Amino acid sequence: WRSWGMVGLGTAALGLVSAGIYYLGYRKGHSMSADSGTTVKGKSYEIVDALTNYLTQHNVDDSVLSKLRSFSVKHQLGRMTSPVEVGKLLTILCQAIGARKVIDIGVFTGCSAYAMALGLPNGGKVVACDINMEYIQLGQPYWIEGGVSDKIDLRIQPATKTLQDLLDNGEDSSYDMIFIDADKESYPKYFELGLKLLRKGGMFVVDNALWSGRVADVKVDDDDTKGIRNINRLMRDEESVDFLLINVADGVGIAIKK
């Protein structure tokens, strides 16, 4: 889901409209995965089987973040919640590269921002980009309870504007990680701007990179699917990054800046 490039509507109304469109696309994409002839792992909270249960038992989550995730998946737009396997990946990657400054593009109730904050040292910062404060307010009490609220710097405006603001502020080549889980059509633009903000050795992590298998279905040609195909192609072909596309949850793309 989550940060948007549209203008002209009030923030709350825009967020509701965009979230609804995204959710419908998500459901449609999920239902089409069988037609694409592909098998996408899917998010762990949507799967009930012995192996997934084993995995979730071993992916031990922060207790407060676990409560936030359980609360979020019950929301009518709950499928926009990052699953535990993606959240743990974000935390561990932040720790592995010694991240101090990261960007979360698309917040919803804040599971991904929380997970990234867990991987940062004291004084670290998550620039959290979204246009819908309504959903964020649902998660903020959990940020406070979990002790990560001071690390999260909310920017309630289109993510493209926030990224450009950071560049205009002289913060190019200073960020350690950018997580993209927002409106799919804008993924390539987020990559273009974000690449300027990442330091060498910094990384992009892109969620929904397989889009329930729709990226591999030649019959599917909607704007969201094309946006994901485009960023996968851009990351694969960009000479300044090394790129890995993996079948985890709804697909995760990881690009490290050389």
Side-chain angles (χ1 to χ4, degrees):
W1 125 278
R2 290 135 37 187
S3 172
W4 322 84
M6 296 177 285
V7 295
L9 294 173
T11 299
L14 177 58
L16 288 170
V17 171
S18 299
I21 292 170
Y22 175 85
Y23 181 71
L24 290 171
Y26 229 149
R27 297 306 303 167
K28 184 177 179 183
H30 193 62
S31 67
M32 291 185 68
S33 59
D35 295 337
S36 68
T38 62
T39 301
V40 177
K41 294 297 184 183
K43 299 182 178 184
S44 58
Y45 56 70
E46 297 179 318
I47 303 170
V48 180
D49 61 28
L51 180 57
T52 303
N53 185 54
Y54 180 85
L55 288 168
T56 55
Q57 287 176 348
H58 287 77
N59 287 330
V60 180
D61 211 356
D62 173 87
S63 60
V64 180
L65 177 52
S66 180
K67 290 196 297 182
L68 172 57
R69 183 172 287 109
S70 296
F71 167 79
S72 300
V73 297
K74 295 173 185 174
H75 191 278
Q76 63 179 350
L77 301 176
R79 194 169 192 268
M80 296 191 290
T81 305
S82 298
V84 62
E85 59 271 22
V86 174
K88 291 290 291 186
L89 178 64
L90 292 173
T91 301
I92 288 174
L93 288 176
C94 284
Q95 293 170 333
I97 65 173
R100 298 189 62 87
K101 292 173 61 179
V102 301
I103 301 171
D104 180 21
I105 301 178
V107 181
F108 189 40
T109 58
C111 288
S112 53
Y114 190 127
M116 296 176 85
L118 284 176
L120 304 183
N122 291 334
K125 178 177 70 170
V126 181
V127 177
C129 308
D130 211 300
I131 63 164
N132 193 317
M133 193 65 195
E134 177 185 353
Y135 304 135
I136 294 171
Q137 287 175 332
L138 299 175
Q140 282 181 314
Y142 295 91
W143 295 355
I144 295 169
E145 182 182 352
V148 300
S149 182
D150 290 346
K151 295 181 181 179
I152 301 174
D153 176 11
L154 279 174
R155 306 291 179 96
I156 307 301
Q157 61 182 10
T160 50
K161 185 177 188 314
T162 295
L163 298 177
Q164 188 60 55
D165 287 347
L166 297 174
L167 289 169
D168 293 343
N169 194 44
E171 297 187 59
D172 54 295
S173 302
S174 69
Y175 280 83
D176 303 295
M177 183 186 295
I178 300 173
F179 178 56
I180 305 176
D181 185 11
D183 60 309
K184 311 311 173 192
E185 190 175 352
S186 298
Y187 270 28
K189 186 64 174 178
Y190 299 146
F191 177 71
E192 176 190 341
L193 292 171
L195 190 59
K196 301 173 184 177
L197 288 164
L198 278 183
R199 63 167 173 84
K200 289 185 178 181
M203 64 175 61
F204 285 100
V205 181
V206 178
D207 202 17
N208 307 122
L210 297 178
W211 202 224
S212 298
R214 302 185 86 201
V215 291
D217 189 341
V218 296
K219 300 185 299 295
V220 178
D221 196 37
D222 61 272
D223 289 340
D224 286 340
T225 304
K226 287 191 290 187
I228 296 170
R229 287 175 181 149
N230 285 339
I231 194 172
N232 287 339
R233 175 181 52 79
L234 287 170
M235 291 192 293
R236 180 198 65 191
D237 295 345
E238 173 58 52
E239 294 183 356
S240 67
V241 304
D242 285 322
F243 176 54
L244 170 68
L245 181 61
I246 54 177
N247 191 1
V248 172
D250 194 26
V252 176
I254 300 174
I256 299 179
K257 189 172 181 179
K258 297 177 184 177

